[in-house]
Amino acid sequence: MINIPLKNLNPGIVGKVACEKEKVNLPKENHPRINSAYKFIRKLKDTNKPVYGVTTGLGALANVILSRNNLKHLQKNLILSHSVGAGPHLDPEIVR
């Protein structure tokens, strides 16, 4: 099992996860920083300030502040748009 560092993530670690199928662990000492980032984004979401991709649309809609309901749709659609594609399937090592 590979502990994912907060700093100095390197190609060797990524390679072990992608190519050697190592399982990953986010060590407990990382949790406060992860939670802090989560809370920061949640606070931004609750403002009316334009924050690209958090409170606004993406690309051509970057200047459009979204309603709370549309923020949920944006996040869902963002995941969906990145999970579909065209062309041949990529090797597991590339997509892992």
Side-chain angles (χ1 to χ4, degrees):
M1 178 157 314
I2 300 246
N3 288 322
I4 301 298
L6 280 176
K7 297 180 181 179
N8 304 320
L9 182 63
N10 61 58
I13 294 171
V14 174
K16 285 186 182 215
V17 172
C19 300
E20 298 174 25
K21 299 181 181 175
E22 283 278 348
K23 292 185 178 185
V24 298
N25 178 53
L26 294 172
K28 287 188 181 194
E29 62 263 19
N30 294 0
H31 293 188
R33 252 182 104 182
I34 294 167
N35 288 331
S36 176
Y38 171 77
K39 288 176 185 175
F40 177 74
I41 293 295
R42 294 280 303 203
K43 280 184 185 178
L44 286 176
K45 180 185 72 79
D46 292 335
T47 71
N48 287 328
K49 295 179 183 177
V51 179
Y52 183 76
V54 176
T55 61
T56 72
L58 303 167
L61 298 175
N63 294 321
V64 177
I65 296 178
L66 302 172
S67 70
R68 256 179 202 233
N69 190 42
N70 285 336
L71 289 175
K72 290 179 183 179
H73 291 295
L74 170 71
Q75 296 305 313
K76 180 179 179 183
N77 289 338
L78 183 62
I79 298 296
L80 290 174
S81 73
H82 285 81
S83 65
V84 299
H89 289 258
L90 298 173
D91 293 333
E93 293 82 15
I94 293 172
V95 297
R96 183 162 195 246

